[in-house]
Amino acid sequence: MEFVTIESWPAPQLTDYRPALEAGNVLFFPTTPFRLPEESQDFLRNLNFSGGAIHKNVAYRPGADRVTGVEADSAQAKRLKSILRDYSRTVVEFTRALLPQYAPAWKLDYASFRPLEEQGRDLPLNKRNDLIHTDAFPTRPTNGDLILRVFTNIHPAKPREWVTTDPFRVIATRYARSAGLDRIASGGRLLNRSAHLLHSFGLPATPRSPYDRFMLRFHEYLKRNEEFQKNCAKYHFAFPPGSTWLTFTDVLPHSVHSGQHALEQTFIISRFSLANTENAPVSILESLCGRPLVESS
Ligand SMILES: [Fe+2]
């Protein structure tokens, strides 16, 4: 895998960065290529998490223009919402200019602020960020679409340290079977119908395609697989303060080892807008198991 560095933005000529991203590479901007006021960064870095009014995981939902993880309707909460809303809108505008072919069909997902030092966090295994994994959202199945995330390190001095490995195609070819791909592919429809039924009665069940069930399973499988964690190829990268980077976090297995104060915006990218649709994890898995994993395939 590679880090594709873009030194200046807007670039003098348009480049189609889709193939590089879809192959599991990272687009890296040493200098954040959009406006992010210093006073907003300062405000975020100095948020007070004691007292419980602001949770340690703050998310902004652009569709509803709502912040979750904040309880108080205080001046501080209002300022926080306005900063996250600005960040989200600015990143959307930037990403639309960088990757115009994705924009017409993408779904805007959440933006988030990650205020905690990643090193030494005491989390249950499935939530640990320091174990290499591919992303999958339990509450927001993608039905075969891809998860693109834009990150910005707003720490004034510390880099954000990632370790990645070979992209999804390599890892899935090696591990998808032992993670249960064939079982999930063949047992899928019935389970999904039951979830739809429960959902239609207002019961808490998220209907998931076999693809989404597999991706949730794979996330956990990779984290639990000590042999994989120990022996897989590892690529280290330290994203310096003030930098921005983006990658498909379901295509590129990744882990975070240290760093504090990151902003992030997520997009769900339609697999039909990829430059190479055969690079979509769903296409890779379908060719491995020989069965459709989402309804429209
Ligand atoms: Fe992740």
Side-chain angles (χ1 to χ4, degrees):
M1 64 146 307
E2 289 171 41
F3 287 86
V4 179
T5 302
I6 304 172
E7 295 286 353
S8 72
W9 183 262
Q13 71 218 29
L14 268 186
T15 305
D16 187 354
Y17 289 109
R18 289 179 303 162
L21 274 176
E22 293 162 16
N25 297 308
V26 173
L27 294 190
F28 170 58
F29 293 81
T31 305
T32 288
F34 45 79
R35 189 184 54 84
L36 187 51
E38 193 56 41
E39 61 269 23
S40 304
Q41 299 185 41
D42 254 357
F43 174 86
L44 292 173
R45 291 188 290 246
N46 291 308
L47 277 173
N48 182 359
F49 292 93
S50 62
I54 298 178
H55 294 189
K56 285 163 189 161
N57 220 333
V58 178
Y60 173 71
R61 303 183 175 197
D65 187 29
R66 199 160 76 83
V67 172
T68 55
V70 182
E71 275 164 20
D73 192 24
S74 58
Q76 201 187 39
K78 282 185 186 144
R79 175 96 199 271
L80 175 60
K81 178 174 165 180
S82 120
I83 289 172
L84 291 179
R85 182 204 283 134
D86 270 2
Y87 176 76
S88 174
R89 287 181 181 170
T90 309
V91 172
V92 169
E93 220 173 281
F94 155 73
T95 310
R96 184 177 283 125
L98 181 73
L99 298 159
Q101 299 92 336
Y102 290 156
W106 73 27
K107 283 193 212 110
L108 202 49
D109 200 73
Y110 304 165
S112 67
F113 175 52
R114 301 160 184 221
L116 297 184
E117 170 56 57
E118 294 288 345
Q119 193 166 28
R121 285 180 75 178
D122 185 19
L123 291 167
L125 183 133
N126 206 32
K127 289 200 157 61
R128 276 176 59 182
N129 293 330
D130 61 322
L131 296 170
I132 299 180
H133 64 279
T134 45
D135 281 356
F137 300 143
T139 56
R140 293 162 351 262
T142 71
N143 202 38
D145 292 336
L146 286 80
I147 300 171
L148 177 70
R149 303 186 109 167
V150 180
F151 299 89
T152 303
N153 180 4
I154 63 164
H155 195 281
K158 270 198 273 186
R160 195 166 184 87
E161 293 185 287
W162 274 30
V163 176
T164 66
T165 188
D166 295 318
F168 189 82
R169 183 180 296 282
V170 176
I171 300 306
T173 303
R174 203 170 297 156
Y175 294 105
R177 283 240 144 70
S178 61
L181 175 63
D182 296 307
R183 184 177 43 79
I184 290 172
S186 58
R189 279 156 216 286
L190 198 62
L191 271 169
N192 203 34
R193 275 201 202 117
S194 335
H196 270 294
L197 199 64
L198 289 171
H199 195 66
S200 66
F201 286 118
L203 294 165
T206 305
R208 279 190 197 108
S209 63
Y211 170 73
D212 288 291
R213 282 206 297 284
F214 176 79
M215 292 303 278
L216 278 178
R217 170 82 194 105
F218 203 46
H219 171 104
E220 184 165 346
Y221 171 90
L222 292 177
K223 285 188 172 176
R224 288 190 184 281
N225 187 331
E226 287 175 21
E227 180 274 322
F228 164 73
Q229 295 292 335
K230 197 165 157 229
N231 299 325
C232 69
K234 292 186 180 68
Y235 310 107
H236 294 253
F237 203 79
F239 299 102
S243 66
T244 283
W245 63 102
L246 51 154
T247 193
F248 281 112
T249 54
D250 43 9
V251 176
L252 177 65
H254 58 280
S255 57
V256 188
H257 289 257
S258 71
Q260 191 184 7
H261 299 317
L263 280 164
E264 170 268 337
Q265 169 70 55
T266 300
F267 299 82
I268 305 301
I269 303 296
S270 164
R271 66 187 183 283
F272 301 111
S273 64
L274 300 187
N276 302 302
T277 51
E278 71 278 11
N279 276 343
V282 69
S283 307
I284 294 167
L285 293 171
E286 286 178 343
S287 69
L288 283 172
C289 70
R291 283 170 181 268
L293 295 171
V294 288
E295 300 247 312
S296 57
S297 306

